[in-house]
Amino acid sequence: MPLIQTDALIIGAGPAGLFQVFELGLREISAQVVDALPFAGGQCVELYGDKPIYDIPALPACTGRELTERLLEQIKPFATAFHFDQLVSHVARRADGRFDVRTKAGLQFDCGAIVLAAGVGAFVPRTLKLAGLEAFEGRQLFHHADRVPAAAIAGKHVVVSGATDQALAFATRLCAAIGRRAPEAPARVTLVHRRDVFDAEDGTVAEFRNACAAGALHFVAGQPTGLALDGDRLAALTLLDATGATVSLQADTVVVLQGLSPKLGPLADWGLALERRQVHVETAKFATSVPGIFAIGDVIHYPGKQRLILSAFHEATLAAAGVAGHLRPGDDGPLEYTTSSPRIHKLLGV
Ligand SMILES: Cc1cc2nc3c(=O)[nH]c(=O)nc-3n(C[C@H](O)[C@H](O)[C@H](O)COP(=O)(O)OP(=O)(O)OC[C@H]3O[C@@H](n4cnc5c(N)ncnc54)[C@H](O)[C@@H]3O)c2cc1C
């Protein structure tokens, strides 16, 4: 794969990383963004996309998804390259003082500075541990509700695994299409979880139970134990049910929504000073213990740190000055108001 060169590489496309693009852009520092998730927004989209946030200045209420869309809109003038589905696994300093950054899937970056905006770590979906199942990833096996193609649903036997809010809401939503006899409707939807207790909001559980009671949705309490194949296709899951009996469940599509486990993982090996499993920073420039690596947002710790989006925006502003000073020594850039700076207006195309 070609080596991707950039001034700054931002690890994490949560609200901190997105606003970092803007602040770097104002300083004419080009940045690219890498995230392990398949979309931007970090916790705001993955954990509470449709719930309201009330403490973003000048935005009395907006959902996590809406905030992300607004941040993406704000950075449009900088035409930023995003690399999704890419877990950064390796960071090392090159002989020329720049950084060599690699992802697990094989992307390689050569960058002058890094801003770590990695939140609580890379969100890695909890998988269903069944030998051979991972071979169907992207064809018959999916780990993000938003990423299941219509063709994997329409007319198919869909098995949803999980007890999360997302799992119940997704299964219930699919059933609604059956009720409407919509062309995109699945043939049958079954939710599988080891017991009849769910880790979801009361309203979601109530809707799920209503759909089950109406016969539109099916629930099996059991533990998946194996697969049945039909040639090179996944045909069924075998489960050990609550009575200890083995049952077979036809499965054209398996959607595993068992939650995400944030993995600080590789970050712990990059030589950064950590404090309480968070990255230690100084708060003038949000510099880490490694010159050239800056860190902002939920991933950092300093006295008084508040894990709030508002705090991350402030941190991104100061980190941008730090990155500028690192890439162009002696040039911290004077403070310019976006209201009145012709240079900034040109950058923003306004
Ligand atoms: C339910 C809930 C409600 C909340 N409500 C509010 C609220 O009302 N107001 C408020 O201010 N805050 C709220 N928060 C907190 C807020 O969401 C966080 O402070 C904010 O998301 C932190 O942003 P971030 O960009 O630092 O990290 P994140 O949003 O966690 O994003 C970090 C991103 O980095 C990626 N990443 C990490 N490691 C790697 C790696 N090695 N390789 C590639 N990608 C990686 C992750 O996949 C993730 O997408 C809430 C949080 C939760 C859970």
Side-chain angles (χ1 to χ4, degrees):
M1 283 204 204
L3 184 66
I4 303 167
Q5 287 186 315
T6 177
D7 287 345
L9 187 71
I10 300 172
I11 302 175
L18 295 180
F19 195 62
Q20 188 66 76
V21 171
F22 183 75
E23 286 296 324
L24 289 173
L26 293 187
R27 290 173 182 274
E28 300 180 44
I29 296 170
S30 72
Q32 301 204 13
V33 185
V34 199
D35 203 298
L37 284 175
F39 41 72
Q43 293 174 53
C44 298
V45 169
E46 187 60 55
L47 300 184
Y48 58 100
D50 298 318
K51 297 209 174 108
I53 308 172
Y54 299 105
D55 58 350
I56 304 298
L59 260 182
C62 72
T63 64
R65 206 179 305 280
E66 189 187 344
L67 177 72
T68 302
E69 281 160 10
R70 284 169 178 259
L71 285 165
L72 287 169
E73 178 69 27
Q74 193 170 22
I75 61 176
K76 255 192 190 156
F78 303 114
T80 312
F82 284 89
H83 307 273
F84 291 120
D85 279 322
Q86 296 287 337
L87 175 76
V88 174
S89 53
H90 167 96
V91 171
R93 193 178 289 283
R94 294 157 40 108
D96 61 5
R98 290 170 62 87
F99 292 98
D100 174 34
V101 178
R102 297 178 196 194
T103 68
K104 212 172 152 195
L107 288 188
Q108 191 177 357
F109 298 89
D110 161 11
C111 56
I114 294 172
V115 181
L116 201 51
V120 284
F123 284 123
V124 181
R126 292 199 177 94
T127 56
L128 198 53
K129 291 193 176 63
L130 288 180
L133 185 62
E134 70 280 2
F136 298 98
E137 179 79 52
R139 290 189 290 141
Q140 290 181 268
L141 171 70
F142 303 90
H143 289 91
H144 293 280
D146 292 357
R147 296 284 292 249
V148 187
I153 303 281
K156 302 286 197 252
H157 284 72
V158 180
V159 175
V160 180
S161 172
T164 59
D165 214 66
Q166 266 194 327
L168 271 63
F170 180 69
T172 309
R173 199 172 75 226
L174 289 188
C175 290
I178 299 179
R180 292 196 309 273
R181 297 178 189 278
E184 70 274 16
R188 187 180 174 97
V189 182
T190 309
L191 186 114
V192 174
H193 179 55
R194 60 181 190 288
R195 58 199 183 113
D196 188 359
V197 178
F198 305 106
D199 184 17
E201 290 193 2
D202 293 349
T204 313
V205 176
E207 283 179 23
F208 169 78
R209 290 202 191 281
N210 287 342
C212 289
L217 182 53
H218 305 272
F219 172 65
V220 176
Q223 184 68 43
T225 51
L227 318 176
L229 306 185
D230 176 10
D232 62 354
R233 282 187 57 78
L234 172 65
L237 293 185
T238 42
L239 292 105
L240 205 57
D241 77 8
T243 66
T246 297
V247 290
S248 174
L249 195 59
Q250 187 174 342
D252 302 311
T253 299
V254 177
V255 185
V256 181
L257 299 173
Q258 298 177 168
L260 299 166
S261 90
K263 292 210 185 321
L264 203 54
L267 199 151
D269 305 326
W270 298 341
L272 303 164
L274 299 179
E275 200 176 336
R276 298 187 207 163
R277 289 197 39 86
Q278 318 252 203
V279 176
H280 174 81
V281 287
E282 57 76 26
T283 53
K285 302 279 188 242
F286 288 87
T288 68
S289 60
V290 177
I293 304 186
F294 300 80
I296 60 169
D298 276 15
V299 77
I300 59 174
H301 176 76
Y302 57 85
K305 166 70 185 169
Q306 301 241 333
R307 285 180 160 200
L308 288 174
I309 296 162
L310 162 76
S311 315
F313 290 166
H314 159 78
E315 292 154 8
T317 310
L318 297 193
V323 172
H326 177 78
L327 294 175
R328 308 187 290 240
D331 170 19
D332 276 4
L335 175 69
E336 284 178 86
Y337 290 131
T338 57
T339 319
S340 48
S341 162
R343 185 188 66 83
I344 290 179
H345 291 172
K346 199 166 160 212
L347 287 171
L348 298 179
V350 292

